[in-house]
């Protein structure tokens, strides 16, 4: 038993080191710290002007430094806020590491504040764009700190102000906590069906929150803001920490929206296709080989784009590519005849979980 625990811990540490290596290889950053020599030199010699005044009197607030602790999905989401006579003329997004398709959706927010005074803009209650929740939060928080600075009120936000109190976040938190806690003490088929439905509708379709390779690499690269990312943090705990206490595959079986969708689709037909043990073993080996090839390619610095094609993003259907939506449809239909086909024979993220917990 002790050897098994040591093996699990070793496998988990190894996977973390591999993820760190991929984050450095792709973004040259770990937890928000830029590791490039040039970036270090620039940080010492170049200072971003937080506030500047243009010739026509327009005041421009740059939130690069003000919002350095505010994270979107892939990292910081700095803005330039243009004010003239205390009215917002425009808001411009600066260079960031967000997924382009998702950020394009979130960028619809940039015009919401146009024409408002700083007081009016700060008083506005703006909901994030469905399908780009984390990027939306990054934009909204950067707007708030930039306008507070413009009013010479750039005090640190309180503990309560840093937490996302939106209905979407609170309901998502309740659902993920239910999935993380209740199955530990209560085994009930009817409840499980309800939980699966909630995982799909609330966590997947409404919140657009799930663990994917993209999320893991982004968090390792840019860091994570615990006040606005409570739901994914709980998911990560169930995926990587629970197995250390004997709860292997807990996230996949009880929380993952994609796994829940396959489970519910499978209820449509009791009789499944029969697969020999040799076929199942072969497909399992091919899954590991597929994962190994993807990891080698990323460590070699190529093909990071494959992460955008994991079928989890189909839940964010407004931003998902047509290819991902088609793949998700095929997997869902196949789930009627084969139990959890994507989870068992393809999923790279699930393979990472299995290897991290010492399994195959």
């Amino acid at each position: 038993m002790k050897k098994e625990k040591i093996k699990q811990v070793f496998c988990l540490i190894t996977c973390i080191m591999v993820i760190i290596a991929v984050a450095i290889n792709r973004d040259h950053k770990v937890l928000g710290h830029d590791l490039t020599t040039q970036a270090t030199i620039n940080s010492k010699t170049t200072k971003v002007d937080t506030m500047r005044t243009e010739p026509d009197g327009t005041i421009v607030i740059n939130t690069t430094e003000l919002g350095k602790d505010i994270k979107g999905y892939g990292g910081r989401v700095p803005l330039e806020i243009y004010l003239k006579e205390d009215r917002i003329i425009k808001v411009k997004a600066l260079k960031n590491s967000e997924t382009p398709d998702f950020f394009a959706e979130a960028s619809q927010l940039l015009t919401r504040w146009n024409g408002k005074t700083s007081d009016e803009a700060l008083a506005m209650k703006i909901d994030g764009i469905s399908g780009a929740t984390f990027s939306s939060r990054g934009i909204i928080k950067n707007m708030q700190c930039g306008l507070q600075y413009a009013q010479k009120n750039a005090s640190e936000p309180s503990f309560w102000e840093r937490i996302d109190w939106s209905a979407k976040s609170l309901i998502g938190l309740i659902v993920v906590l239910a999935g993380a806690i209740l199955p530990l003490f209560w085994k009930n088929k009817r409840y499980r069906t309800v939980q699966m439905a909630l995982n799909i509708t609330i966590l997947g379709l409404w919140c657009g929150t799930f663990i994917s390779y993209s999320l893991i690499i982004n968090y390792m690269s840019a860091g994570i803001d615990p006040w606005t990312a409570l739901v994914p943090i709980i998911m990560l705990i169930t995926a990587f920490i629970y197995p250390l206490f004997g709860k292997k595959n807990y996230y996949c079986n009880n929380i993952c929206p994609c796994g829940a969708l396959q489970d519910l689709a499978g209820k449509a037909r009791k009789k499944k296709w029969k697969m020999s043990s040799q076929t199942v073993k072969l497909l399992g080996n091919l899954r590991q080989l597929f994962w190994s090839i993807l990891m080698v390619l990323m460590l070699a610095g190529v093909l990071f784009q494959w992460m955008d094609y994991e079928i989890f993003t189909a839940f964010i259907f407004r931003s998902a590519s047509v290819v991902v939506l088609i793949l998700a449809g095929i997997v869902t239909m196949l789930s009627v005849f084969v139990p959890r086909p994507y989870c068992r024979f393809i999923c790279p993220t699930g393979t990472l979980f299995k290897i991290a917990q010492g399994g195959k």
Side-chain angles (χ1 to χ4, degrees):
M1 190 69 177
K2 187 176 181 180
K3 289 183 179 180
E4 178 67 20
K5 289 294 181 185
I6 293 173
K7 178 184 176 183
Q8 279 186 271
V9 172
F10 176 77
C11 289
L12 177 58
I13 293 173
T14 301
C15 285
I16 291 173
M17 297 304 294
V18 170
I19 294 300
I20 290 174
V22 172
I24 293 173
N25 212 11
R26 189 189 72 171
D27 302 323
H28 309 293
K29 295 189 297 182
V30 175
L31 300 177
H33 300 287
D34 201 315
L35 304 180
T36 58
T37 303
Q38 188 61 44
T40 303
I41 295 173
N42 289 343
S43 66
K44 294 179 179 178
T45 59
T46 305
K47 184 178 180 180
V48 175
D49 289 331
T50 300
M51 179 183 288
R52 71 176 190 270
T53 303
E54 299 197 327
D56 65 352
T58 300
I59 295 173
V60 182
I61 306 296
N62 185 312
T63 69
T64 300
E65 290 300 321
L66 295 174
K68 62 184 179 181
D69 295 325
I70 298 171
K71 302 291 193 304
Y73 186 75
R76 300 179 186 179
V77 191
L79 305 174
E80 279 191 339
I81 306 168
Y82 291 73
L83 296 131
K84 191 169 185 179
E85 298 178 356
D86 196 38
R87 288 197 177 272
I88 299 168
I89 300 173
K90 68 176 181 178
V91 181
K92 176 184 175 183
L94 301 178
K95 185 178 179 181
N96 58 65
S97 301
E98 300 297 277
T99 303
D101 289 344
F102 293 166
F103 194 72
E105 291 288 328
S107 295
Q108 299 174 43
L109 291 173
L110 297 176
T111 59
R112 296 280 183 90
W113 296 277
N114 288 358
K116 306 293 184 182
T117 66
S118 56
D119 283 330
E120 291 170 343
L122 284 169
M124 292 172 66
K125 301 294 183 183
I126 294 183
D127 294 325
I129 300 295
S130 178
T133 304
F134 292 100
S135 297
S136 298
R137 287 177 188 163
I139 290 173
I140 293 168
K141 293 289 185 182
N142 270 275
M143 277 297 298
Q144 291 172 344
C145 75
L147 293 171
Q148 287 171 352
Y149 184 87
Q151 293 186 335
K152 297 182 180 179
N153 184 30
S155 58
E156 284 289 322
S158 68
F159 169 81
W160 298 107
E161 290 174 330
R162 295 180 68 180
I163 297 176
D164 184 357
W165 294 104
S166 67
K168 181 186 291 187
S169 293
L170 292 176
I171 294 173
L173 182 60
I174 292 170
V175 172
V176 79
L177 283 173
I181 297 172
L182 291 182
L184 295 174
F185 308 100
W186 188 33
K187 305 294 183 183
N188 182 284
K189 289 185 177 180
R190 289 185 179 179
Y191 162 72
R192 178 173 171 78
T193 300
V194 171
Q195 181 71 48
M196 295 300 100
L198 291 173
N199 292 347
I200 295 167
T201 56
I202 303 299
L203 298 180
L205 294 172
W206 192 28
C207 297
T209 307
F210 39 76
I211 301 180
S212 64
Y213 244 95
S214 181
L215 179 136
I216 294 171
I217 300 298
N218 285 342
Y219 280 171
M220 185 59 73
S221 171
I224 183 170
D225 181 0
W227 312 112
T228 57
L230 290 174
V231 173
I233 286 174
I234 293 170
M235 290 180 169
L236 288 167
I237 289 171
T238 61
F240 290 106
I241 306 302
Y242 273 34
L244 296 177
F245 299 92
K247 301 298 179 181
K248 292 187 176 182
N249 304 317
Y250 191 94
Y251 169 79
C252 298
N253 292 334
N254 296 286
I255 297 175
C256 177
C258 185
L261 180 61
Q262 292 172 81
D263 276 345
L264 288 188
K267 290 181 178 295
R269 189 173 189 267
K270 290 185 177 180
K271 191 174 182 180
K272 308 298 181 186
W273 290 344
K274 290 185 178 180
M275 300 175 65
S276 67
S277 58
Q278 291 86 352
T279 300
V280 172
K281 183 177 180 180
L282 174 62
L283 291 174
N285 290 335
L286 288 175
R287 170 190 178 179
Q288 285 196 323
L289 177 62
F290 177 58
W291 179 83
S292 300
I293 291 171
L294 292 176
M295 292 304 300
V296 168
L297 288 171
M298 289 197 296
L299 290 170
V302 296
L303 205 66
F304 295 108
Q305 295 85 353
W306 73 262
M307 291 184 287
D308 296 330
Y309 292 92
E310 285 193 283
I311 67 170
F312 306 117
T313 54
F315 286 105
I316 312 174
F317 54 88
R318 293 184 181 181
S319 306
S321 70
V322 174
V323 173
V324 169
L325 292 173
I326 291 173
L327 289 175
I330 293 172
V331 167
T332 303
M333 289 187 290
L334 193 58
S335 300
V336 176
F337 305 96
V338 179
R340 286 187 169 230
Y342 183 77
C343 298
R344 295 165 64 202
F345 306 127
I346 300 174
C347 185
T349 300
T351 306
L352 176 68
F353 296 157
K354 279 188 172 293
I355 293 174
Q357 61 195 23
K360 293 183 177 181

